[in-house]
mmCIF file of all heavy atoms in Angstrom:
data_model
loop_
_atom_site.group_PDB
_atom_site.id
_atom_site.type_symbol
_atom_site.label_atom_id
_atom_site.label_comp_id
_atom_site.label_asym_id
_atom_site.label_seq_id
_atom_site.Cartn_x
_atom_site.Cartn_y
_atom_site.Cartn_z
ATOM 1 N N GLU A 106 -164.983 -181.153 175.195
ATOM 2 C CA GLU A 106 -163.829 -181.387 174.338
ATOM 3 C C GLU A 106 -162.537 -181.665 175.122
ATOM 4 O O GLU A 106 -161.494 -181.912 174.506
ATOM 5 C CB GLU A 106 -163.603 -180.170 173.429
ATOM 6 C CG GLU A 106 -164.744 -179.885 172.475
ATOM 7 C CD GLU A 106 -164.929 -180.976 171.434
ATOM 8 O OE1 GLU A 106 -163.916 -181.482 170.906
ATOM 9 O OE2 GLU A 106 -166.092 -181.338 171.151
ATOM 10 N N TRP A 107 -162.604 -181.627 176.456
ATOM 11 C CA TRP A 107 -161.351 -181.755 177.203
ATOM 12 C C TRP A 107 -160.735 -183.151 177.085
ATOM 13 O O TRP A 107 -159.517 -183.302 177.175
ATOM 14 C CB TRP A 107 -161.536 -181.395 178.681
ATOM 15 C CG TRP A 107 -160.185 -181.226 179.319
ATOM 16 C CD1 TRP A 107 -159.479 -182.138 180.053
ATOM 17 C CD2 TRP A 107 -159.323 -180.080 179.189
ATOM 18 N NE1 TRP A 107 -158.246 -181.632 180.395
ATOM 19 C CE2 TRP A 107 -158.130 -180.371 179.880
ATOM 20 C CE3 TRP A 107 -159.462 -178.842 178.560
ATOM 21 C CZ2 TRP A 107 -157.071 -179.459 179.955
ATOM 22 C CZ3 TRP A 107 -158.416 -177.937 178.640
ATOM 23 C CH2 TRP A 107 -157.243 -178.254 179.333
ATOM 24 N N VAL A 110 -158.229 -182.923 174.416
ATOM 25 C CA VAL A 110 -157.040 -182.194 174.860
ATOM 26 C C VAL A 110 -156.178 -183.096 175.735
ATOM 27 O O VAL A 110 -154.952 -183.131 175.610
ATOM 28 C CB VAL A 110 -157.441 -180.916 175.619
ATOM 29 C CG1 VAL A 110 -156.227 -180.265 176.273
ATOM 30 C CG2 VAL A 110 -158.122 -179.933 174.682
ATOM 31 N N TYR A 113 -154.180 -185.584 173.609
ATOM 32 C CA TYR A 113 -153.006 -184.981 172.967
ATOM 33 C C TYR A 113 -151.917 -184.672 173.995
ATOM 34 O O TYR A 113 -150.723 -184.878 173.738
ATOM 35 C CB TYR A 113 -153.406 -183.704 172.218
ATOM 36 C CG TYR A 113 -154.200 -183.958 170.974
ATOM 37 C CD1 TYR A 113 -155.485 -183.443 170.817
ATOM 38 C CD2 TYR A 113 -153.668 -184.737 169.935
ATOM 39 C CE1 TYR A 113 -156.214 -183.686 169.665
ATOM 40 C CE2 TYR A 113 -154.404 -184.981 168.789
ATOM 41 C CZ TYR A 113 -155.681 -184.455 168.655
ATOM 42 O OH TYR A 113 -156.406 -184.707 167.511
ATOM 43 N N TYR A 117 -148.019 -186.086 173.964
ATOM 44 C CA TYR A 117 -146.799 -185.283 174.010
ATOM 45 C C TYR A 117 -145.904 -185.691 175.177
ATOM 46 O O TYR A 117 -144.671 -185.690 175.062
ATOM 47 C CB TYR A 117 -147.155 -183.801 174.114
ATOM 48 C CG TYR A 117 -148.044 -183.294 173.002
ATOM 49 C CD1 TYR A 117 -148.929 -182.239 173.220
ATOM 50 C CD2 TYR A 117 -148.022 -183.878 171.733
ATOM 51 C CE1 TYR A 117 -149.751 -181.776 172.205
ATOM 52 C CE2 TYR A 117 -148.850 -183.417 170.717
ATOM 53 C CZ TYR A 117 -149.716 -182.376 170.962
ATOM 54 O OH TYR A 117 -150.533 -181.922 169.956
ATOM 55 N N MET A 157 -162.169 -176.964 181.131
ATOM 56 C CA MET A 157 -163.281 -176.474 180.335
ATOM 57 C C MET A 157 -162.766 -175.618 179.198
ATOM 58 O O MET A 157 -161.749 -174.922 179.341
ATOM 59 C CB MET A 157 -164.236 -175.653 181.200
ATOM 60 C CG MET A 157 -165.082 -176.468 182.147
ATOM 61 S SD MET A 157 -166.240 -175.408 183.044
ATOM 62 C CE MET A 157 -167.587 -176.549 183.322
ATOM 63 N N LEU A 158 -163.481 -175.662 178.086
ATOM 64 C CA LEU A 158 -163.151 -174.855 176.919
ATOM 65 C C LEU A 158 -164.392 -174.091 176.472
ATOM 66 O O LEU A 158 -165.522 -174.508 176.756
ATOM 67 C CB LEU A 158 -162.654 -175.747 175.780
ATOM 68 C CG LEU A 158 -161.390 -176.553 176.078
ATOM 69 C CD1 LEU A 158 -161.166 -177.587 174.980
ATOM 70 C CD2 LEU A 158 -160.186 -175.644 176.213
ATOM 71 N N ALA A 159 -164.176 -172.993 175.779
ATOM 72 C CA ALA A 159 -165.301 -172.205 175.285
ATOM 73 C C ALA A 159 -166.192 -173.053 174.396
ATOM 74 O O ALA A 159 -165.707 -173.833 173.555
ATOM 75 C CB ALA A 159 -164.781 -170.993 174.514
ATOM 76 N N THR A 162 -165.660 -174.886 170.664
ATOM 77 C CA THR A 162 -164.288 -175.325 170.403
ATOM 78 C C THR A 162 -164.292 -176.749 169.856
ATOM 79 O O THR A 162 -164.964 -177.626 170.405
ATOM 80 C CB THR A 162 -163.457 -175.298 171.703
ATOM 81 O OG1 THR A 162 -163.400 -173.962 172.190
ATOM 82 C CG2 THR A 162 -162.051 -175.823 171.462
ATOM 83 N N MET A 163 -163.546 -176.970 168.805
ATOM 84 C CA MET A 163 -163.321 -178.314 168.291
ATOM 85 C C MET A 163 -161.846 -178.642 168.532
ATOM 86 O O MET A 163 -160.956 -178.048 167.909
ATOM 87 C CB MET A 163 -163.652 -178.391 166.795
ATOM 88 C CG MET A 163 -165.119 -178.176 166.483
ATOM 89 S SD MET A 163 -166.196 -179.503 167.119
ATOM 90 C CE MET A 163 -167.139 -178.615 168.362
ATOM 91 N N ALA A 164 -161.581 -179.543 169.438
ATOM 92 C CA ALA A 164 -160.216 -179.773 169.927
ATOM 93 C C ALA A 164 -159.442 -180.741 169.037
ATOM 94 O O ALA A 164 -159.252 -181.904 169.380
ATOM 95 C CB ALA A 164 -160.249 -180.276 171.365
ATOM 96 N N ASN A 165 -158.952 -180.246 167.893
ATOM 97 C CA ASN A 165 -158.045 -181.043 167.072
ATOM 98 C C ASN A 165 -156.609 -180.811 167.558
ATOM 99 O O ASN A 165 -156.363 -180.063 168.503
ATOM 100 C CB ASN A 165 -158.196 -180.703 165.589
ATOM 101 C CG ASN A 165 -157.999 -179.219 165.325
ATOM 102 O OD1 ASN A 165 -157.233 -178.530 166.001
ATOM 103 N ND2 ASN A 165 -158.707 -178.698 164.324
ATOM 104 N N GLU A 166 -155.639 -181.423 166.873
ATOM 105 C CA GLU A 166 -154.262 -181.348 167.366
ATOM 106 C C GLU A 166 -153.687 -179.940 167.264
ATOM 107 O O GLU A 166 -152.954 -179.499 168.150
ATOM 108 C CB GLU A 166 -153.360 -182.343 166.631
ATOM 109 C CG GLU A 166 -151.955 -182.397 167.221
ATOM 110 C CD GLU A 166 -151.231 -183.688 166.919
ATOM 111 O OE1 GLU A 166 -151.714 -184.466 166.068
ATOM 112 O OE2 GLU A 166 -150.166 -183.928 167.525
ATOM 113 N N ASP A 167 -154.013 -179.221 166.198
ATOM 114 C CA ASP A 167 -153.521 -177.843 166.076
ATOM 115 C C ASP A 167 -154.034 -176.988 167.227
ATOM 116 O O ASP A 167 -153.295 -176.180 167.796
ATOM 117 C CB ASP A 167 -153.951 -177.231 164.736
ATOM 118 C CG ASP A 167 -153.179 -177.814 163.566
ATOM 119 O OD1 ASP A 167 -152.080 -178.357 163.797
ATOM 120 O OD2 ASP A 167 -153.683 -177.719 162.430
ATOM 121 N N PHE A 168 -155.315 -177.168 167.559
ATOM 122 C CA PHE A 168 -155.876 -176.413 168.677
ATOM 123 C C PHE A 168 -155.163 -176.772 169.976
ATOM 124 O O PHE A 168 -154.837 -175.894 170.781
ATOM 125 C CB PHE A 168 -157.370 -176.700 168.823
ATOM 126 C CG PHE A 168 -157.959 -176.097 170.067
ATOM 127 C CD1 PHE A 168 -158.375 -174.774 170.083
ATOM 128 C CD2 PHE A 168 -158.077 -176.844 171.238
ATOM 129 C CE1 PHE A 168 -158.884 -174.206 171.234
ATOM 130 C CE2 PHE A 168 -158.591 -176.285 172.392
ATOM 131 C CZ PHE A 168 -159.001 -174.957 172.387
ATOM 132 N N ALA A 169 -154.923 -178.072 170.195
ATOM 133 C CA ALA A 169 -154.276 -178.509 171.434
ATOM 134 C C ALA A 169 -152.876 -177.910 171.564
ATOM 135 O O ALA A 169 -152.493 -177.430 172.638
ATOM 136 C CB ALA A 169 -154.215 -180.030 171.483
ATOM 137 N N ARG A 170 -152.120 -177.890 170.486
ATOM 138 C CA ARG A 170 -150.763 -177.329 170.533
ATOM 139 C C ARG A 170 -150.805 -175.843 170.887
ATOM 140 O O ARG A 170 -149.999 -175.364 171.694
ATOM 141 C CB ARG A 170 -150.051 -177.539 169.190
ATOM 142 C CG ARG A 170 -149.638 -178.976 168.924
ATOM 143 C CD ARG A 170 -148.739 -179.056 167.701
ATOM 144 N NE ARG A 170 -148.405 -180.433 167.371
ATOM 145 C CZ ARG A 170 -147.434 -181.133 167.967
ATOM 146 N NH1 ARG A 170 -146.723 -180.576 168.938
ATOM 147 N NH2 ARG A 170 -147.188 -182.371 167.606
ATOM 148 N N ASP A 171 -151.742 -175.125 170.301
ATOM 149 C CA ASP A 171 -151.872 -173.700 170.614
ATOM 150 C C ASP A 171 -152.323 -173.490 172.047
ATOM 151 O O ASP A 171 -151.868 -172.551 172.728
ATOM 152 C CB ASP A 171 -152.860 -173.036 169.656
ATOM 153 C CG ASP A 171 -152.325 -172.920 168.235
ATOM 154 O OD1 ASP A 171 -151.093 -173.000 168.066
ATOM 155 O OD2 ASP A 171 -153.142 -172.757 167.311
ATOM 156 N N LEU A 172 -153.218 -174.352 172.523
ATOM 157 C CA LEU A 172 -153.713 -174.220 173.886
ATOM 158 C C LEU A 172 -152.584 -174.383 174.899
ATOM 159 O O LEU A 172 -152.481 -173.613 175.861
ATOM 160 C CB LEU A 172 -154.803 -175.268 174.155
ATOM 161 C CG LEU A 172 -155.408 -175.238 175.562
ATOM 162 C CD1 LEU A 172 -156.236 -173.970 175.758
ATOM 163 C CD2 LEU A 172 -156.264 -176.474 175.811
ATOM 164 N N PHE A 173 -151.713 -175.367 174.673
ATOM 165 C CA PHE A 173 -150.617 -175.609 175.610
ATOM 166 C C PHE A 173 -149.622 -174.449 175.632
ATOM 167 O O PHE A 173 -148.881 -174.288 176.600
ATOM 168 C CB PHE A 173 -149.905 -176.924 175.287
ATOM 169 C CG PHE A 173 -150.759 -178.144 175.562
ATOM 170 C CD1 PHE A 173 -150.913 -179.132 174.606
ATOM 171 C CD2 PHE A 173 -151.405 -178.283 176.771
ATOM 172 C CE1 PHE A 173 -151.696 -180.246 174.858
ATOM 173 C CE2 PHE A 173 -152.198 -179.392 177.038
ATOM 174 C CZ PHE A 173 -152.348 -180.378 176.079
ATOM 175 N N LYS A 174 -149.619 -173.643 174.591
ATOM 176 C CA LYS A 174 -148.740 -172.468 174.548
ATOM 177 C C LYS A 174 -149.421 -171.217 175.103
ATOM 178 O O LYS A 174 -148.781 -170.172 175.250
ATOM 179 C CB LYS A 174 -148.297 -172.197 173.101
ATOM 180 C CG LYS A 174 -147.442 -173.296 172.492
ATOM 181 C CD LYS A 174 -147.153 -172.995 171.024
ATOM 182 C CE LYS A 174 -146.386 -174.127 170.358
ATOM 183 N NZ LYS A 174 -146.180 -173.866 168.901
ATOM 184 N N TYR A 178 -153.375 -170.056 180.509
ATOM 185 C CA TYR A 178 -153.684 -171.340 181.131
ATOM 186 C C TYR A 178 -152.521 -171.836 181.979
ATOM 187 O O TYR A 178 -151.354 -171.576 181.672
ATOM 188 C CB TYR A 178 -153.991 -172.396 180.063
ATOM 189 C CG TYR A 178 -155.418 -172.383 179.583
ATOM 190 C CD1 TYR A 178 -155.830 -171.470 178.613
ATOM 191 C CD2 TYR A 178 -156.361 -173.281 180.073
ATOM 192 C CE1 TYR A 178 -157.145 -171.448 178.161
ATOM 193 C CE2 TYR A 178 -157.675 -173.268 179.630
ATOM 194 C CZ TYR A 178 -158.060 -172.356 178.668
ATOM 195 O OH TYR A 178 -159.356 -172.338 178.238
#
Side-chain angles (χ1 to χ4, degrees):
E106 297 294 319
W107 193 263
V110 171
Y113 288 120
Y117 303 151
M157 286 183 150
L158 299 169
T162 298
M163 294 294 114
N165 55 32
E166 186 157 12
D167 287 339
F168 172 84
R170 288 190 184 278
D171 290 340
L172 180 69
F173 291 130
K174 296 175 184 176
Y178 276 82

